[in-house]
mmCIF file with all atom_site columns, all heavy atoms in Angstrom:
data_model
loop_
_atom_site.group_PDB
_atom_site.id
_atom_site.type_symbol
_atom_site.label_atom_id
_atom_site.label_alt_id
_atom_site.label_comp_id
_atom_site.label_asym_id
_atom_site.label_entity_id
_atom_site.label_seq_id
_atom_site.pdbx_PDB_ins_code
_atom_site.Cartn_x
_atom_site.Cartn_y
_atom_site.Cartn_z
_atom_site.occupancy
_atom_site.B_iso_or_equiv
_atom_site.pdbx_formal_charge
_atom_site.auth_seq_id
_atom_site.auth_comp_id
_atom_site.auth_asym_id
_atom_site.auth_atom_id
_atom_site.pdbx_PDB_model_num
ATOM 1   N N   . ALA A 1 1  ? 77.042 -35.459 46.021 1.00 92.00 ? 1  ALA A N   1
ATOM 2   C CA  . ALA A 1 1  ? 78.320 -35.499 46.725 1.00 92.00 ? 1  ALA A CA  1
ATOM 3   C C   . ALA A 1 1  ? 78.624 -34.181 47.423 1.00 92.00 ? 1  ALA A C   1
ATOM 4   O O   . ALA A 1 1  ? 79.165 -34.164 48.540 1.00 92.00 ? 1  ALA A O   1
ATOM 5   C CB  . ALA A 1 1  ? 79.443 -35.835 45.739 1.00 92.00 ? 1  ALA A CB  1
ATOM 6   N N   . ILE A 1 2  ? 78.293 -33.067 46.781 1.00 94.00 ? 2  ILE A N   1
ATOM 7   C CA  . ILE A 1 2  ? 78.762 -31.767 47.260 1.00 94.00 ? 2  ILE A CA  1
ATOM 8   C C   . ILE A 1 2  ? 77.743 -31.039 48.131 1.00 94.00 ? 2  ILE A C   1
ATOM 9   O O   . ILE A 1 2  ? 78.124 -30.295 49.049 1.00 94.00 ? 2  ILE A O   1
ATOM 10  C CB  . ILE A 1 2  ? 79.168 -30.881 46.055 1.00 94.00 ? 2  ILE A CB  1
ATOM 11  C CG1 . ILE A 1 2  ? 80.253 -31.593 45.251 1.00 94.00 ? 2  ILE A CG1 1
ATOM 12  C CG2 . ILE A 1 2  ? 79.679 -29.520 46.510 1.00 94.00 ? 2  ILE A CG2 1
ATOM 13  C CD1 . ILE A 1 2  ? 80.627 -30.890 43.971 1.00 94.00 ? 2  ILE A CD1 1
ATOM 14  N N   . ASN A 1 3  ? 76.461 -31.250 47.879 1.00 90.00 ? 3  ASN A N   1
ATOM 15  C CA  . ASN A 1 3  ? 75.429 -30.520 48.632 1.00 90.00 ? 3  ASN A CA  1
ATOM 16  C C   . ASN A 1 3  ? 75.608 -30.569 50.143 1.00 90.00 ? 3  ASN A C   1
ATOM 17  O O   . ASN A 1 3  ? 75.494 -29.553 50.824 1.00 90.00 ? 3  ASN A O   1
ATOM 18  C CB  . ASN A 1 3  ? 74.035 -31.042 48.258 1.00 90.00 ? 3  ASN A CB  1
ATOM 19  C CG  . ASN A 1 3  ? 73.396 -30.207 47.158 1.00 90.00 ? 3  ASN A CG  1
ATOM 20  O OD1 . ASN A 1 3  ? 73.651 -29.007 47.042 1.00 90.00 ? 3  ASN A OD1 1
ATOM 21  N ND2 . ASN A 1 3  ? 72.597 -30.845 46.324 1.00 90.00 ? 3  ASN A ND2 1
ATOM 22  N N   . PRO A 1 4  ? 75.902 -31.741 50.716 1.00 89.00 ? 4  PRO A N   1
ATOM 23  C CA  . PRO A 1 4  ? 76.034 -31.780 52.184 1.00 89.00 ? 4  PRO A CA  1
ATOM 24  C C   . PRO A 1 4  ? 77.328 -31.136 52.703 1.00 89.00 ? 4  PRO A C   1
ATOM 25  O O   . PRO A 1 4  ? 77.454 -30.933 53.916 1.00 89.00 ? 4  PRO A O   1
ATOM 26  C CB  . PRO A 1 4  ? 76.037 -33.282 52.499 1.00 89.00 ? 4  PRO A CB  1
ATOM 27  C CG  . PRO A 1 4  ? 75.589 -33.966 51.258 1.00 89.00 ? 4  PRO A CG  1
ATOM 28  C CD  . PRO A 1 4  ? 76.007 -33.090 50.134 1.00 89.00 ? 4  PRO A CD  1
ATOM 29  N N   . LEU A 1 5  ? 78.265 -30.835 51.807 1.00 92.00 ? 5  LEU A N   1
ATOM 30  C CA  . LEU A 1 5  ? 79.589 -30.411 52.252 1.00 92.00 ? 5  LEU A CA  1
ATOM 31  C C   . LEU A 1 5  ? 79.851 -28.915 52.064 1.00 92.00 ? 5  LEU A C   1
ATOM 32  O O   . LEU A 1 5  ? 80.512 -28.288 52.900 1.00 92.00 ? 5  LEU A O   1
ATOM 33  C CB  . LEU A 1 5  ? 80.676 -31.196 51.494 1.00 92.00 ? 5  LEU A CB  1
ATOM 34  C CG  . LEU A 1 5  ? 80.599 -32.727 51.593 1.00 92.00 ? 5  LEU A CG  1
ATOM 35  C CD1 . LEU A 1 5  ? 81.642 -33.360 50.673 1.00 92.00 ? 5  LEU A CD1 1
ATOM 36  C CD2 . LEU A 1 5  ? 80.812 -33.180 53.032 1.00 92.00 ? 5  LEU A CD2 1
ATOM 37  N N   . ALA A 1 6  ? 79.366 -28.354 50.973 1.00 91.00 ? 6  ALA A N   1
ATOM 38  C CA  . ALA A 1 6  ? 79.705 -26.961 50.639 1.00 91.00 ? 6  ALA A CA  1
ATOM 39  C C   . ALA A 1 6  ? 78.824 -25.979 51.397 1.00 91.00 ? 6  ALA A C   1
ATOM 40  O O   . ALA A 1 6  ? 77.615 -26.184 51.533 1.00 91.00 ? 6  ALA A O   1
ATOM 41  C CB  . ALA A 1 6  ? 79.566 -26.737 49.144 1.00 91.00 ? 6  ALA A CB  1
ATOM 42  N N   . SER A 1 7  ? 79.441 -24.902 51.877 1.00 89.00 ? 7  SER A N   1
ATOM 43  C CA  . SER A 1 7  ? 78.688 -23.894 52.636 1.00 89.00 ? 7  SER A CA  1
ATOM 44  C C   . SER A 1 7  ? 78.510 -22.593 51.859 1.00 89.00 ? 7  SER A C   1
ATOM 45  O O   . SER A 1 7  ? 77.669 -21.769 52.217 1.00 89.00 ? 7  SER A O   1
ATOM 46  C CB  . SER A 1 7  ? 79.407 -23.600 53.962 1.00 89.00 ? 7  SER A CB  1
ATOM 47  O OG  . SER A 1 7  ? 80.756 -23.230 53.729 1.00 89.00 ? 7  SER A OG  1
ATOM 48  N N   . THR A 1 8  ? 79.282 -22.397 50.784 1.00 93.00 ? 8  THR A N   1
ATOM 49  C CA  . THR A 1 8  ? 79.167 -21.187 49.956 1.00 93.00 ? 8  THR A CA  1
ATOM 50  C C   . THR A 1 8  ? 79.198 -21.584 48.487 1.00 93.00 ? 8  THR A C   1
ATOM 51  O O   . THR A 1 8  ? 79.717 -22.654 48.137 1.00 93.00 ? 8  THR A O   1
ATOM 52  C CB  . THR A 1 8  ? 80.333 -20.212 50.221 1.00 93.00 ? 8  THR A CB  1
ATOM 53  O OG1 . THR A 1 8  ? 81.564 -20.825 49.798 1.00 93.00 ? 8  THR A OG1 1
ATOM 54  C CG2 . THR A 1 8  ? 80.421 -19.856 51.705 1.00 93.00 ? 8  THR A CG2 1
ATOM 55  N N   . PRO A 1 9  ? 78.665 -20.736 47.582 1.00 93.00 ? 9  PRO A N   1
ATOM 56  C CA  . PRO A 1 9  ? 78.723 -21.044 46.147 1.00 93.00 ? 9  PRO A CA  1
ATOM 57  C C   . PRO A 1 9  ? 80.151 -21.241 45.647 1.00 93.00 ? 9  PRO A C   1
ATOM 58  O O   . PRO A 1 9  ? 80.410 -22.109 44.813 1.00 93.00 ? 9  PRO A O   1
ATOM 59  C CB  . PRO A 1 9  ? 78.072 -19.817 45.503 1.00 93.00 ? 9  PRO A CB  1
ATOM 60  C CG  . PRO A 1 9  ? 77.171 -19.260 46.558 1.00 93.00 ? 9  PRO A CG  1
ATOM 61  C CD  . PRO A 1 9  ? 77.876 -19.516 47.852 1.00 93.00 ? 9  PRO A CD  1
ATOM 62  N N   . GLU A 1 10 ? 81.067 -20.433 46.153 1.00 94.00 ? 10 GLU A N   1
ATOM 63  C CA  . GLU A 1 10 ? 82.470 -20.547 45.720 1.00 94.00 ? 10 GLU A CA  1
ATOM 64  C C   . GLU A 1 10 ? 83.052 -21.903 46.125 1.00 94.00 ? 10 GLU A C   1
ATOM 65  O O   . GLU A 1 10 ? 83.779 -22.548 45.361 1.00 94.00 ? 10 GLU A O   1
ATOM 66  C CB  . GLU A 1 10 ? 83.306 -19.415 46.325 1.00 94.00 ? 10 GLU A CB  1
ATOM 67  C CG  . GLU A 1 10 ? 82.962 -18.032 45.808 1.00 94.00 ? 10 GLU A CG  1
ATOM 68  C CD  . GLU A 1 10 ? 81.679 -17.478 46.409 1.00 94.00 ? 10 GLU A CD  1
ATOM 69  O OE1 . GLU A 1 10 ? 81.211 -18.018 47.454 1.00 94.00 ? 10 GLU A OE1 1
ATOM 70  O OE2 . GLU A 1 10 ? 81.114 -16.530 45.830 1.00 94.00 ? 10 GLU A OE2 1
ATOM 71  N N   . GLU A 1 11 ? 82.736 -22.337 47.346 1.00 95.00 ? 11 GLU A N   1
ATOM 72  C CA  . GLU A 1 11 ? 83.222 -23.623 47.818 1.00 95.00 ? 11 GLU A CA  1
ATOM 73  C C   . GLU A 1 11 ? 82.597 -24.765 47.025 1.00 95.00 ? 11 GLU A C   1
ATOM 74  O O   . GLU A 1 11 ? 83.254 -25.760 46.723 1.00 95.00 ? 11 GLU A O   1
ATOM 75  C CB  . GLU A 1 11 ? 82.917 -23.783 49.311 1.00 95.00 ? 11 GLU A CB  1
ATOM 76  C CG  . GLU A 1 11 ? 83.579 -25.006 49.939 1.00 95.00 ? 11 GLU A CG  1
ATOM 77  C CD  . GLU A 1 11 ? 83.297 -25.123 51.425 1.00 95.00 ? 11 GLU A CD  1
ATOM 78  O OE1 . GLU A 1 11 ? 82.336 -24.471 51.910 1.00 95.00 ? 11 GLU A OE1 1
ATOM 79  O OE2 . GLU A 1 11 ? 84.032 -25.855 52.108 1.00 95.00 ? 11 GLU A OE2 1
ATOM 80  N N   . TYR A 1 12 ? 81.329 -24.597 46.653 1.00 96.00 ? 12 TYR A N   1
ATOM 81  C CA  . TYR A 1 12 ? 80.622 -25.600 45.872 1.00 96.00 ? 12 TYR A CA  1
ATOM 82  C C   . TYR A 1 12 ? 81.307 -25.803 44.516 1.00 96.00 ? 12 TYR A C   1
ATOM 83  O O   . TYR A 1 12 ? 81.558 -26.936 44.090 1.00 96.00 ? 12 TYR A O   1
ATOM 84  C CB  . TYR A 1 12 ? 79.167 -25.166 45.661 1.00 96.00 ? 12 TYR A CB  1
ATOM 85  C CG  . TYR A 1 12 ? 78.244 -26.257 45.173 1.00 96.00 ? 12 TYR A CG  1
ATOM 86  C CD1 . TYR A 1 12 ? 77.353 -26.878 46.031 1.00 96.00 ? 12 TYR A CD1 1
ATOM 87  C CD2 . TYR A 1 12 ? 78.266 -26.669 43.838 1.00 96.00 ? 12 TYR A CD2 1
ATOM 88  C CE1 . TYR A 1 12 ? 76.498 -27.881 45.582 1.00 96.00 ? 12 TYR A CE1 1
ATOM 89  C CE2 . TYR A 1 12 ? 77.425 -27.670 43.377 1.00 96.00 ? 12 TYR A CE2 1
ATOM 90  C CZ  . TYR A 1 12 ? 76.539 -28.269 44.257 1.00 96.00 ? 12 TYR A CZ  1
ATOM 91  O OH  . TYR A 1 12 ? 75.707 -29.265 43.816 1.00 96.00 ? 12 TYR A OH  1
ATOM 92  N N   . ILE A 1 13 ? 81.624 -24.696 43.864 1.00 96.00 ? 13 ILE A N   1
ATOM 93  C CA  . ILE A 1 13 ? 82.283 -24.767 42.555 1.00 96.00 ? 13 ILE A CA  1
ATOM 94  C C   . ILE A 1 13 ? 83.671 -25.398 42.690 1.00 96.00 ? 13 ILE A C   1
ATOM 95  O O   . ILE A 1 13 ? 84.063 -26.257 41.897 1.00 96.00 ? 13 ILE A O   1
ATOM 96  C CB  . ILE A 1 13 ? 82.384 -23.361 41.930 1.00 96.00 ? 13 ILE A CB  1
ATOM 97  C CG1 . ILE A 1 13 ? 80.991 -22.855 41.564 1.00 96.00 ? 13 ILE A CG1 1
ATOM 98  C CG2 . ILE A 1 13 ? 83.288 -23.376 40.699 1.00 96.00 ? 13 ILE A CG2 1
ATOM 99  C CD1 . ILE A 1 13 ? 80.938 -21.399 41.139 1.00 96.00 ? 13 ILE A CD1 1
ATOM 100 N N   . ALA A 1 14 ? 84.411 -24.993 43.711 1.00 96.00 ? 14 ALA A N   1
ATOM 101 C CA  . ALA A 1 14 ? 85.760 -25.536 43.931 1.00 96.00 ? 14 ALA A CA  1
ATOM 102 C C   . ALA A 1 14 ? 85.700 -27.043 44.162 1.00 96.00 ? 14 ALA A C   1
ATOM 103 O O   . ALA A 1 14 ? 86.538 -27.801 43.654 1.00 96.00 ? 14 ALA A O   1
ATOM 104 C CB  . ALA A 1 14 ? 86.421 -24.837 45.114 1.00 96.00 ? 14 ALA A CB  1
ATOM 105 N N   . MET A 1 15 ? 84.699 -27.509 44.921 1.00 96.00 ? 15 MET A N   1
ATOM 106 C CA  . MET A 1 15 ? 84.563 -28.936 45.190 1.00 96.00 ? 15 MET A CA  1
ATOM 107 C C   . MET A 1 15 ? 84.198 -29.714 43.922 1.00 96.00 ? 15 MET A C   1
ATOM 108 O O   . MET A 1 15 ? 84.662 -30.834 43.710 1.00 96.00 ? 15 MET A O   1
ATOM 109 C CB  . MET A 1 15 ? 83.517 -29.174 46.276 1.00 96.00 ? 15 MET A CB  1
ATOM 110 C CG  . MET A 1 15 ? 83.997 -28.888 47.672 1.00 96.00 ? 15 MET A CG  1
ATOM 111 S SD  . MET A 1 15 ? 82.784 -29.428 48.908 1.00 96.00 ? 15 MET A SD  1
ATOM 112 C CE  . MET A 1 15 ? 83.740 -29.244 50.415 1.00 96.00 ? 15 MET A CE  1
ATOM 113 N N   . SER A 1 16 ? 83.355 -29.121 43.077 1.00 97.00 ? 16 SER A N   1
ATOM 114 C CA  . SER A 1 16 ? 82.955 -29.821 41.848 1.00 97.00 ? 16 SER A CA  1
ATOM 115 C C   . SER A 1 16 ? 84.147 -30.002 40.920 1.00 97.00 ? 16 SER A C   1
ATOM 116 O O   . SER A 1 16 ? 84.280 -31.039 40.250 1.00 97.00 ? 16 SER A O   1
ATOM 117 C CB  . SER A 1 16 ? 81.837 -29.052 41.134 1.00 97.00 ? 16 SER A CB  1
ATOM 118 O OG  . SER A 1 16 ? 82.321 -27.839 40.585 1.00 97.00 ? 16 SER A OG  1
ATOM 119 N N   . ILE A 1 17 ? 85.037 -29.009 40.885 1.00 97.00 ? 17 ILE A N   1
ATOM 120 C CA  . ILE A 1 17 ? 86.229 -29.105 40.047 1.00 97.00 ? 17 ILE A CA  1
ATOM 121 C C   . ILE A 1 17 ? 87.220 -30.112 40.642 1.00 97.00 ? 17 ILE A C   1
ATOM 122 O O   . ILE A 1 17 ? 87.815 -30.920 39.912 1.00 97.00 ? 17 ILE A O   1
ATOM 123 C CB  . ILE A 1 17 ? 86.877 -27.711 39.893 1.00 97.00 ? 17 ILE A CB  1
ATOM 124 C CG1 . ILE A 1 17 ? 85.932 -26.797 39.102 1.00 97.00 ? 17 ILE A CG1 1
ATOM 125 C CG2 . ILE A 1 17 ? 88.238 -27.811 39.218 1.00 97.00 ? 17 ILE A CG2 1
ATOM 126 C CD1 . ILE A 1 17 ? 86.352 -25.341 39.076 1.00 97.00 ? 17 ILE A CD1 1
ATOM 127 N N   . LEU A 1 18 ? 87.379 -30.096 41.971 1.00 97.00 ? 18 LEU A N   1
ATOM 128 C CA  . LEU A 1 18 ? 88.237 -31.090 42.621 1.00 97.00 ? 18 LEU A CA  1
ATOM 129 C C   . LEU A 1 18 ? 87.688 -32.494 42.399 1.00 97.00 ? 18 LEU A C   1
ATOM 130 O O   . LEU A 1 18 ? 88.444 -33.453 42.187 1.00 97.00 ? 18 LEU A O   1
ATOM 131 C CB  . LEU A 1 18 ? 88.344 -30.793 44.117 1.00 97.00 ? 18 LEU A CB  1
ATOM 132 C CG  . LEU A 1 18 ? 89.107 -31.828 44.958 1.00 97.00 ? 18 LEU A CG  1
ATOM 133 C CD1 . LEU A 1 18 ? 90.541 -31.985 44.469 1.00 97.00 ? 18 LEU A CD1 1
ATOM 134 C CD2 . LEU A 1 18 ? 89.082 -31.448 46.441 1.00 97.00 ? 18 LEU A CD2 1
ATOM 135 N N   . LEU A 1 19 ? 86.362 -32.615 42.419 1.00 97.00 ? 19 LEU A N   1
ATOM 136 C CA  . LEU A 1 19 ? 85.730 -33.914 42.180 1.00 97.00 ? 19 LEU A CA  1
ATOM 137 C C   . LEU A 1 19 ? 86.071 -34.435 40.783 1.00 97.00 ? 19 LEU A C   1
ATOM 138 O O   . LEU A 1 19 ? 86.317 -35.634 40.596 1.00 97.00 ? 19 LEU A O   1
ATOM 139 C CB  . LEU A 1 19 ? 84.212 -33.799 42.351 1.00 97.00 ? 19 LEU A CB  1
ATOM 140 C CG  . LEU A 1 19 ? 83.411 -35.101 42.399 1.00 97.00 ? 19 LEU A CG  1
ATOM 141 C CD1 . LEU A 1 19 ? 83.885 -36.007 43.514 1.00 97.00 ? 19 LEU A CD1 1
ATOM 142 C CD2 . LEU A 1 19 ? 81.925 -34.802 42.557 1.00 97.00 ? 19 LEU A CD2 1
ATOM 143 N N   . ALA A 1 20 ? 86.104 -33.537 39.799 1.00 97.00 ? 20 ALA A N   1
ATOM 144 C CA  . ALA A 1 20 ? 86.489 -33.942 38.436 1.00 97.00 ? 20 ALA A CA  1
ATOM 145 C C   . ALA A 1 20 ? 87.920 -34.478 38.425 1.00 97.00 ? 20 ALA A C   1
ATOM 146 O O   . ALA A 1 20 ? 88.225 -35.480 37.757 1.00 97.00 ? 20 ALA A O   1
ATOM 147 C CB  . ALA A 1 20 ? 86.357 -32.763 37.479 1.00 97.00 ? 20 ALA A CB  1
ATOM 148 N N   . LEU A 1 21 ? 88.795 -33.820 39.177 1.00 97.00 ? 21 LEU A N   1
ATOM 149 C CA  . LEU A 1 21 ? 90.193 -34.261 39.256 1.00 97.00 ? 21 LEU A CA  1
ATOM 150 C C   . LEU A 1 21 ? 90.286 -35.644 39.895 1.00 97.00 ? 21 LEU A C   1
ATOM 151 O O   . LEU A 1 21 ? 91.020 -36.527 39.415 1.00 97.00 ? 21 LEU A O   1
ATOM 152 C CB  . LEU A 1 21 ? 91.008 -33.240 40.048 1.00 97.00 ? 21 LEU A CB  1
ATOM 153 C CG  . LEU A 1 21 ? 92.520 -33.492 40.140 1.00 97.00 ? 21 LEU A CG  1
ATOM 154 C CD1 . LEU A 1 21 ? 93.165 -33.421 38.763 1.00 97.00 ? 21 LEU A CD1 1
ATOM 155 C CD2 . LEU A 1 21 ? 93.172 -32.484 41.092 1.00 97.00 ? 21 LEU A CD2 1
ATOM 156 N N   . LEU A 1 22 ? 89.546 -35.870 40.978 1.00 97.00 ? 22 LEU A N   1
ATOM 157 C CA  . LEU A 1 22 ? 89.564 -37.165 41.664 1.00 97.00 ? 22 LEU A CA  1
ATOM 158 C C   . LEU A 1 22 ? 88.978 -38.269 40.796 1.00 97.00 ? 22 LEU A C   1
ATOM 159 O O   . LEU A 1 22 ? 89.544 -39.366 40.684 1.00 97.00 ? 22 LEU A O   1
ATOM 160 C CB  . LEU A 1 22 ? 88.795 -37.067 42.984 1.00 97.00 ? 22 LEU A CB  1
ATOM 161 C CG  . LEU A 1 22 ? 89.386 -36.166 44.070 1.00 97.00 ? 22 LEU A CG  1
ATOM 162 C CD1 . LEU A 1 22 ? 88.433 -36.077 45.263 1.00 97.00 ? 22 LEU A CD1 1
ATOM 163 C CD2 . LEU A 1 22 ? 90.747 -36.690 44.520 1.00 97.00 ? 22 LEU A CD2 1
ATOM 164 N N   . VAL A 1 23 ? 87.838 -37.987 40.185 1.00 97.00 ? 23 VAL A N   1
ATOM 165 C CA  . VAL A 1 23 ? 87.191 -38.982 39.316 1.00 97.00 ? 23 VAL A CA  1
ATOM 166 C C   . VAL A 1 23 ? 88.108 -39.331 38.157 1.00 97.00 ? 23 VAL A C   1
ATOM 167 O O   . VAL A 1 23 ? 88.319 -40.513 37.831 1.00 97.00 ? 23 VAL A O   1
ATOM 168 C CB  . VAL A 1 23 ? 85.838 -38.439 38.789 1.00 97.00 ? 23 VAL A CB  1
ATOM 169 C CG1 . VAL A 1 23 ? 85.290 -39.338 37.677 1.00 97.00 ? 23 VAL A CG1 1
ATOM 170 C CG2 . VAL A 1 23 ? 84.829 -38.344 39.929 1.00 97.00 ? 23 VAL A CG2 1
ATOM 171 N N   . GLY A 1 24 ? 88.673 -38.309 37.529 1.00 96.00 ? 24 GLY A N   1
ATOM 172 C CA  . GLY A 1 24 ? 89.578 -38.560 36.411 1.00 96.00 ? 24 GLY A CA  1
ATOM 173 C C   . GLY A 1 24 ? 90.809 -39.333 36.828 1.00 96.00 ? 24 GLY A C   1
ATOM 174 O O   . GLY A 1 24 ? 91.251 -40.240 36.110 1.00 96.00 ? 24 GLY A O   1
ATOM 175 N N   . GLY A 1 25 ? 91.356 -38.986 37.982 1.00 96.00 ? 25 GLY A N   1
ATOM 176 C CA  . GLY A 1 25 ? 92.537 -39.697 38.475 1.00 96.00 ? 25 GLY A CA  1
ATOM 177 C C   . GLY A 1 25 ? 92.261 -41.164 38.713 1.00 96.00 ? 25 GLY A C   1
ATOM 178 O O   . GLY A 1 25 ? 93.064 -42.030 38.349 1.00 96.00 ? 25 GLY A O   1
ATOM 179 N N   . LEU A 1 26 ? 91.114 -41.465 39.313 1.00 95.00 ? 26 LEU A N   1
ATOM 180 C CA  . LEU A 1 26 ? 90.737 -42.860 39.556 1.00 95.00 ? 26 LEU A CA  1
ATOM 181 C C   . LEU A 1 26 ? 90.530 -43.612 38.244 1.00 95.00 ? 26 LEU A C   1
ATOM 182 O O   . LEU A 1 26 ? 91.004 -44.738 38.073 1.00 95.00 ? 26 LEU A O   1
ATOM 183 C CB  . LEU A 1 26 ? 89.467 -42.920 40.411 1.00 95.00 ? 26 LEU A CB  1
ATOM 184 C CG  . LEU A 1 26 ? 89.631 -42.556 41.888 1.00 95.00 ? 26 LEU A CG  1
ATOM 185 C CD1 . LEU A 1 26 ? 88.269 -42.384 42.551 1.00 95.00 ? 26 LEU A CD1 1
ATOM 186 C CD2 . LEU A 1 26 ? 90.441 -43.616 42.620 1.00 95.00 ? 26 LEU A CD2 1
ATOM 187 N N   . GLN A 1 27 ? 89.810 -42.990 37.311 1.00 95.00 ? 27 GLN A N   1
ATOM 188 C CA  . GLN A 1 27 ? 89.549 -43.652 36.030 1.00 95.00 ? 27 GLN A CA  1
ATOM 189 C C   . GLN A 1 27 ? 90.853 -43.898 35.262 1.00 95.00 ? 27 GLN A C   1
ATOM 190 O O   . GLN A 1 27 ? 91.047 -44.974 34.681 1.00 95.00 ? 27 GLN A O   1
ATOM 191 C CB  . GLN A 1 27 ? 88.584 -42.807 35.199 1.00 95.00 ? 27 GLN A CB  1
ATOM 192 C CG  . GLN A 1 27 ? 87.171 -42.791 35.750 1.00 95.00 ? 27 GLN A CG  1
ATOM 193 C CD  . GLN A 1 27 ? 86.247 -41.857 35.002 1.00 95.00 ? 27 GLN A CD  1
ATOM 194 O OE1 . GLN A 1 27 ? 86.684 -40.822 34.481 1.00 95.00 ? 27 GLN A OE1 1
ATOM 195 N NE2 . GLN A 1 27 ? 84.978 -42.183 34.935 1.00 95.00 ? 27 GLN A NE2 1
ATOM 196 N N   . PHE A 1 28 ? 91.747 -42.906 35.271 1.00 95.00 ? 28 PHE A N   1
ATOM 197 C CA  . PHE A 1 28 ? 93.023 -43.066 34.571 1.00 95.00 ? 28 PHE A CA  1
ATOM 198 C C   . PHE A 1 28 ? 93.841 -44.193 35.213 1.00 95.00 ? 28 PHE A C   1
ATOM 199 O O   . PHE A 1 28 ? 94.416 -45.036 34.519 1.00 95.00 ? 28 PHE A O   1
ATOM 200 C CB  . PHE A 1 28 ? 93.810 -41.760 34.607 1.00 95.00 ? 28 PHE A CB  1
ATOM 201 C CG  . PHE A 1 28 ? 95.124 -41.822 33.881 1.00 95.00 ? 28 PHE A CG  1
ATOM 202 C CD1 . PHE A 1 28 ? 95.167 -41.720 32.498 1.00 95.00 ? 28 PHE A CD1 1
ATOM 203 C CD2 . PHE A 1 28 ? 96.310 -42.006 34.572 1.00 95.00 ? 28 PHE A CD2 1
ATOM 204 C CE1 . PHE A 1 28 ? 96.375 -41.794 31.816 1.00 95.00 ? 28 PHE A CE1 1
ATOM 205 C CE2 . PHE A 1 28 ? 97.518 -42.083 33.911 1.00 95.00 ? 28 PHE A CE2 1
ATOM 206 C CZ  . PHE A 1 28 ? 97.555 -41.978 32.520 1.00 95.00 ? 28 PHE A CZ  1
ATOM 207 N N   . LEU A 1 29 ? 93.856 -44.219 36.542 1.00 94.00 ? 29 LEU A N   1
ATOM 208 C CA  . LEU A 1 29 ? 94.595 -45.264 37.256 1.00 94.00 ? 29 LEU A CA  1
ATOM 209 C C   . LEU A 1 29 ? 94.018 -46.642 36.955 1.00 94.00 ? 29 LEU A C   1
ATOM 210 O O   . LEU A 1 29 ? 94.755 -47.597 36.688 1.00 94.00 ? 29 LEU A O   1
ATOM 211 C CB  . LEU A 1 29 ? 94.548 -44.984 38.764 1.00 94.00 ? 29 LEU A CB  1
ATOM 212 C CG  . LEU A 1 29 ? 95.341 -45.952 39.666 1.00 94.00 ? 29 LEU A CG  1
ATOM 213 C CD1 . LEU A 1 29 ? 96.833 -45.843 39.357 1.00 94.00 ? 29 LEU A CD1 1
ATOM 214 C CD2 . LEU A 1 29 ? 95.070 -45.643 41.133 1.00 94.00 ? 29 LEU A CD2 1
ATOM 215 N N   . PHE A 1 30 ? 92.690 -46.762 36.990 1.00 92.00 ? 30 PHE A N   1
ATOM 216 C CA  . PHE A 1 30 ? 92.047 -48.037 36.679 1.00 92.00 ? 30 PHE A CA  1
ATOM 217 C C   . PHE A 1 30 ? 92.393 -48.480 35.263 1.00 92.00 ? 30 PHE A C   1
ATOM 218 O O   . PHE A 1 30 ? 92.609 -49.670 35.000 1.00 92.00 ? 30 PHE A O   1
ATOM 219 C CB  . PHE A 1 30 ? 90.527 -47.924 36.820 1.00 92.00 ? 30 PHE A CB  1
ATOM 220 C CG  . PHE A 1 30 ? 90.054 -47.702 38.226 1.00 92.00 ? 30 PHE A CG  1
ATOM 221 C CD1 . PHE A 1 30 ? 88.793 -47.166 38.472 1.00 92.00 ? 30 PHE A CD1 1
ATOM 222 C CD2 . PHE A 1 30 ? 90.856 -48.002 39.310 1.00 92.00 ? 30 PHE A CD2 1
ATOM 223 C CE1 . PHE A 1 30 ? 88.350 -46.954 39.764 1.00 92.00 ? 30 PHE A CE1 1
ATOM 224 C CE2 . PHE A 1 30 ? 90.428 -47.795 40.610 1.00 92.00 ? 30 PHE A CE2 1
ATOM 225 C CZ  . PHE A 1 30 ? 89.169 -47.268 40.835 1.00 92.00 ? 30 PHE A CZ  1
ATOM 226 N N   . GLY A 1 31 ? 92.419 -47.527 34.328 1.00 90.00 ? 31 GLY A N   1
ATOM 227 C CA  . GLY A 1 31 ? 92.722 -47.864 32.944 1.00 90.00 ? 31 GLY A CA  1
ATOM 228 C C   . GLY A 1 31 ? 94.150 -48.344 32.771 1.00 90.00 ? 31 GLY A C   1
ATOM 229 O O   . GLY A 1 31 ? 94.410 -49.357 32.099 1.00 90.00 ? 31 GLY A O   1
ATOM 230 N N   . ILE A 1 32 ? 95.115 -47.635 33.367 1.00 90.00 ? 32 ILE A N   1
ATOM 231 C CA  . ILE A 1 32 ? 96.531 -47.995 33.248 1.00 90.00 ? 32 ILE A CA  1
ATOM 232 C C   . ILE A 1 32 ? 96.795 -49.358 33.887 1.00 90.00 ? 32 ILE A C   1
ATOM 233 O O   . ILE A 1 32 ? 97.571 -50.166 33.371 1.00 90.00 ? 32 ILE A O   1
ATOM 234 C CB  . ILE A 1 32 ? 97.424 -46.916 33.899 1.00 90.00 ? 32 ILE A CB  1
ATOM 235 C CG1 . ILE A 1 32 ? 97.323 -45.602 33.113 1.00 90.00 ? 32 ILE A CG1 1
ATOM 236 C CG2 . ILE A 1 32 ? 98.862 -47.374 33.976 1.00 90.00 ? 32 ILE A CG2 1
ATOM 237 C CD1 . ILE A 1 32 ? 97.787 -45.696 31.673 1.00 90.00 ? 32 ILE A CD1 1
#
């Protein structure tokens, strides 16, 4: 997901953490 998008290591890490937030949000919503 992130390899094609991130241009710096810092951006890569930030995207991976945002991805966790998005994945968790979707899973929580699906569960509720």
